[in-house]
Amino acid sequence: MTIIQQAMVLAAGLGTRLRPITDTMPKPLVPVSGKPMIDYALDALADAGVRRAAVNVHHFAGMMEAHLAAYPRLQIVISDERAALMNSGGGLAKGLKLLGPGLLYVMNADLFWIGEKPGAKTNLQRLAEFFDPNAMDLALLCVPLERTTGHNGKKDFQLDPDGRLFRYADGGDNPVVYAGAIVMHSSLLDEAPADAFNLNIYFDRAIEKGRLFGMMMEGEWITVGTPEALPAAEAVITRHSAGA
């Protein structure tokens, strides 16, 4: 079994659509069913065997640092973006400097899932085993639109029968939503720019080479982008907790 022991968690966004909640706290610390959003991601990483994670911070950085310092299940190092936000790609490239070379997970701090089968391999463990560095630049965790809560309805990719991902075009077969988790090798970003850039650049490069792959997750995927999305997210969690 492939065990990946390091991760980068992208957590530096401003969370503007979640105002007024994010006027007083960073988006990753907004509680969903009594648990800070980022802890769902951190718990998933710890459950998959990760030991060390880099987390980038910007908005209410001090609150983030205090929370992360108290998180018990991972060794967490801070990638400080107080001076300037680096976007998803720049933030990842900067955070990688705090980790060792090799395979890693990349996780968004504000997207998570519930409902994995007890006793079975987790979605992240399955994604690690799915990743083939000889054939893939990145392996993305994906979810069908009907198993999302709080999503805006956008279809990100289409998943081919061989597992390759392509940008979704109207009418395309097997549309999927990117679930916010990646397995990749750190060397992919060895030549990355030093300034802010979007990770979608690397997605598109991988698509051009036929090296962007996707794997369908198990369970229900949740995103909380607005205050109105919180009740829906908590209702799904309550339903799963009750075994429904």
Side-chain angles (χ1 to χ4, degrees):
M1 188 168 88
T2 303
I3 298 177
I4 298 175
Q5 297 188 342
Q6 59 178 0
M8 175 70 197
V9 181
L10 300 171
L14 296 173
T16 52
R17 291 190 305 125
L18 251 181
R19 288 175 176 160
I21 300 171
T22 48
D23 287 339
T24 56
M25 68 172 64
K27 182 178 181 181
L29 295 190
V30 172
V32 183
S33 292
K35 180 174 172 176
M37 238 186 283
I38 192 172
D39 284 11
Y40 288 93
L42 297 176
D43 286 349
L45 291 168
D47 289 345
V50 171
R51 296 184 178 182
R52 178 181 172 90
V55 182
N56 61 350
V57 299
H58 174 83
H59 189 51
F60 290 106
M63 290 177 67
M64 286 291 292
E65 286 183 313
H67 178 79
L68 295 169
Y71 181 80
R73 301 184 61 197
L74 295 169
Q75 178 195 5
I76 296 177
V77 291
I78 300 296
S79 182
D80 194 332
E81 293 186 19
R82 282 180 176 87
L85 279 168
M86 299 294 290
N87 206 326
S88 55
L92 174 57
K94 182 174 180 176
L96 285 177
K97 294 178 171 60
L98 302 172
L99 301 172
L103 294 179
L104 73 148
Y105 294 109
V106 182
M107 291 275 287
N108 288 0
D110 57 353
L111 314 169
F112 59 94
W113 52 85
I114 58 170
E116 293 171 320
K117 295 173 184 172
K121 290 176 182 174
T122 70
N123 284 320
L124 290 181
Q125 288 171 328
R126 290 173 54 238
L127 190 64
E129 293 191 355
F130 173 77
F131 181 71
D132 175 3
N134 295 316
M136 308 175 189
D137 284 350
L138 306 116
L140 274 53
L141 195 64
C142 299
V143 62
L145 192 57
E146 60 268 21
R147 283 199 277 121
T148 68
T149 296
H151 186 56
N152 60 11
K154 182 176 180 288
K155 300 163 184 174
D156 298 315
F157 299 101
Q158 56 193 64
L159 182 64
D160 278 14
D162 64 358
R164 281 186 174 85
L165 288 173
F166 299 90
R167 291 289 180 186
Y168 179 74
D170 285 344
D173 292 332
N174 200 15
V176 297
V177 174
Y178 166 50
I182 304 169
V183 169
M184 56 172 279
H185 194 283
S186 59
S187 60
L188 184 66
L189 267 66
D190 280 354
E191 306 300 322
D195 52 0
F197 68 93
N198 195 297
L199 193 54
N200 274 298
I201 293 170
Y202 280 81
F203 289 175
D204 289 332
R205 287 180 186 173
I207 288 171
E208 288 174 11
K209 296 184 288 182
R211 292 178 61 86
L212 187 71
F213 280 71
M215 186 199 79
M216 299 299 276
M217 56 158 271
E218 295 175 346
E220 299 283 332
W221 183 79
I222 297 170
T223 179
V224 181
T226 64
E228 294 75 28
L230 266 171
E234 293 181 337
V236 171
I237 293 170
T238 299
R239 190 168 73 240
H240 270 269
S241 298

